[in-house]
Amino acid sequence: KGLRHLKFCLELYEYQVKNGRKFLHEHPQGAWSWKLKMVQKVAELPGVITELGDQCVFGQTAEGPDGKIGLVRKATTWMTNDEFIAEAVGKTCPNRAKPRDACVHQHVELINGRAQAAEAYPERLCLAIMRALRESMRSNRMLGALEEGYHVEEPEADMSEFYDEITGALLDNAKVRTARAEEIEFLE
């Protein structure tokens, strides 16, 4: 059953690439699936990138043998045809470049039933993927002004003064707020 699902996903990825669309796939770094010919075939398609990323960088945690919550490296290989997403997920643990006695932080090992706690992506990883997707869509002009808008992770804009985009003239605050309320009502 697992191989059928993987084969189906890989066929979808090929379709996405051939039709100028994007995909994102992941499996643990050492997973046997990365050696399968059908996976390697997709990895070799034009524009497809594979990146190694460690999930501790995004705050992946699990309970250690001492009962304390600690970071989990969870080395993950990502495959995508979107350079923005590849860059976002391809972040590795700073410990990789350091000797064991100079590590920046310790990792909880995913043994003795601890792996299940790290099956869900950490929120920061999900946000990084979504930001990268939005940036990719902006750069490919797939988002218009109405779709881009403000987002939860962005700071709120200063709405105390409004200026005309063309002339730069200061506008009447009350009229601008009334006009915005009408636009929002129309969109809803």
Side-chain angles (χ1 to χ4, degrees):
K1 185 178 178 180
L3 277 179
R4 261 191 318 195
H5 175 74
L6 179 60
K7 184 176 186 247
F8 174 73
C9 289
L10 293 166
E11 289 170 0
L12 285 177
Y13 302 156
E14 283 189 67
Y15 177 84
Q16 295 291 88
V17 171
K18 287 177 187 170
N19 290 284
R21 297 181 182 147
K22 306 296 183 175
F23 76 91
L24 176 62
H25 175 84
E26 67 84 13
H27 270 152
Q29 179 188 13
W32 57 269
S33 59
W34 290 113
K35 296 177 183 170
L36 295 172
K37 285 182 183 178
M38 61 182 170
V39 174
Q40 292 175 359
K41 178 183 170 191
V42 172
E44 293 169 1
L45 291 172
V48 173
I49 307 160
T50 56
E51 283 287 342
L52 172 64
D54 295 322
Q55 292 191 29
C56 61
V57 175
F58 299 100
Q60 182 65 275
T61 60
E63 187 177 312
D66 58 0
K68 294 181 182 175
I69 300 294
L71 290 171
V72 172
R73 178 179 292 171
K74 196 173 181 190
T76 304
T77 301
W78 301 86
M79 180 169 61
T80 183
N81 62 338
D82 188 291
E83 64 274 6
F84 291 93
I85 293 176
E87 183 180 340
V89 298
K91 309 282 186 224
T92 56
C93 178
N95 288 352
R96 285 187 179 269
K98 299 191 178 296
R100 196 180 269 285
D101 61 341
C103 288
V104 176
H105 57 256
Q106 300 299 311
H107 293 117
V108 171
E109 290 187 55
L110 296 179
I111 55 174
N112 299 328
R114 288 189 214 105
Q116 188 174 7
E119 284 181 356
Y121 296 139
E123 183 177 349
R124 287 191 353 229
L125 174 58
C126 297
L127 287 172
I129 292 168
M130 296 306 294
R131 284 186 193 110
L133 177 60
R134 184 178 60 197
E135 203 53 43
S136 175
M137 292 174 76
R138 279 181 182 160
S139 86
N140 291 308
R141 299 183 180 196
M142 295 171 68
L143 287 179
L146 289 177
E147 292 95 2
E148 285 190 42
Y150 291 105
H151 298 272
V152 174
E153 74 276 1
E154 294 177 349
E156 188 123 349
D158 178 18
M159 297 296 197
S160 59
E161 292 183 336
F162 301 96
Y163 295 88
D164 185 281
E165 289 181 4
I166 297 168
T167 66
L170 184 62
L171 300 174
D172 181 294
N173 282 356
K175 289 181 181 177
V176 171
R177 291 181 196 284
T178 301
R180 282 205 170 156
E182 288 174 11
E183 285 180 0
I184 290 171
E185 185 179 321
F186 171 79
L187 289 172
E188 289 175 342

